[in-house]
Amino acid sequence: MDVLVVGGAGYIGSHCVRQLLAAGHRPVVLDNLSQGHRAAVPAGVRLVVGEMDDQALVRRVLREERIGLVMHFAALINVGESVRQPERYHRNNVVATLGLLAAMEAEDVRRLVFSSTCATYGVPERMPMSEDLPQRPINPYGQNKLDVENALRGLAAEGRMRFAAFRYFNAAGAAEDGAIGEDHAPETHLIPLAIAAALGRRPPLEVFGADYPTPDGTCLRDYVHVDDLARAHIAVFPKLEAPGAALFYNLGTGVPTSVRDILLAVDCATGKAVPHTFGPRREGDPPALYADASKARRELGWEPRHATIDPIVATAVRWHLAHPAGFGDR
Ligand code: UDP
């Protein structure tokens, strides 16, 4: 399959590009490099630097490359920032996506794999979380992703698009061979911050709240390896051949892991204790989020290869040790 990977220079997108290659597909990357990294795109893969709502550009690439399917990862992802800058988030994550969809329709490209998020559920009423839970996002970022899901539902109902939306839990880890990994600026995610603190590259980690109604008082999340996420995106291809395909899947390991569990895993993988302090809760953090991913297991045969936190954190530590400055382009 000839696949346009929008946001293919970013964290999850770049892992997908490598797996597309490994599976014998032909990826082409479109990325504006606002968050992505040129060096994350493998040699031999065409990187088009531009905006996903640049109709002329996207249409030309779809045509030139005879694209059959689009994977869409490009988004602003910082929840706190989305609360402060809702218009910017809406424009970038929703309006620009509608532009991408319009270009696809204009070129008759009607298969899409979309990055969504468990943040579309808001504060869930049940755990583990299955796809049929009500979606009530509590921040603009989650709302943006839900808005796109709804737009896709509408297009699919009219027979104009076939799609799969993957609702990720906490993407984590790095490629097994250490070639690519997580490099966000600014970094806000727990695992890279904890590793950097352990390695003395950042100040002590602040744990956001130790008074949650959870076994150890810190938040529970579901950390899923980025390559396991990527594999689901390819496993879904045959499903997109069915007319009217409108598919939603949660992707997580289903293992609830606390902030303290992460600190222990980082201690273990680095051989150094993570220096940390305890601070107040971060606004908008639900106490627990973990997946029931049985639908992806059942329908896609998807099984996370990294089923526990230690090997996931170990891949992240390897990446950070080998690349102290990340991709070195910021
Ligand atoms: N967290 C923390 N300190 C930090 C960053 C994150 O205690 O410096 C906690 C956060 O409150 C949440 C978990 O770690 O419970 C995962 O946060 P992250 O930002 O990595 O992902 P999120 O779950 O928000 O998508």
Side-chain angles (χ1 to χ4, degrees), residues 170 188-190 193 205-208 219 221 223 259 282 285:
N170 289 54
T188 62
H189 293 108
L190 175 62
L193 290 178
L205 179 91
E206 182 179 347
V207 176
F208 297 143
C219 284
R221 293 288 180 272
Y223 297 88
V259 175
R282 184 171 67 178
D285 268 346

Side-chain angles (χ1 to χ4, degrees), residues 182-208:
E182 188 170 11
D183 179 4
H184 292 121
E187 189 53 79
T188 62
H189 293 108
L190 175 62
I191 293 176
L193 290 178
I195 293 171
L199 300 178
R201 295 175 184 163
R202 277 187 189 258
L205 179 91
E206 182 179 347
V207 176
F208 297 143

Side-chain angles (χ1 to χ4, degrees), residues 112-162:
L112 180 79
V113 181
F114 175 61
S115 282
S116 190
T117 169
C118 66
T120 57
Y121 295 111
V123 181
E125 48 193 46
R126 222 183 36 243
M127 211 56 66
M129 296 156 67
S130 51
E131 290 81 357
D132 54 354
L133 280 173
Q135 288 174 289
R136 292 191 282 258
I138 56 168
N139 53 60
Y141 168 71
Q143 184 64 50
N144 294 163
K145 294 287 186 176
L146 180 57
D147 288 348
V148 174
E149 284 193 7
N150 287 336
L152 291 172
R153 262 186 239 270
L155 290 173
E158 293 176 2
R160 293 160 58 186
M161 196 68 69
R162 300 171 186 183

Side-chain angles (χ1 to χ4, degrees), residues 234-247:
I234 298 170
V236 82
F237 283 5
K239 293 264 176 210
L240 297 177
E241 298 309 317
L247 303 163

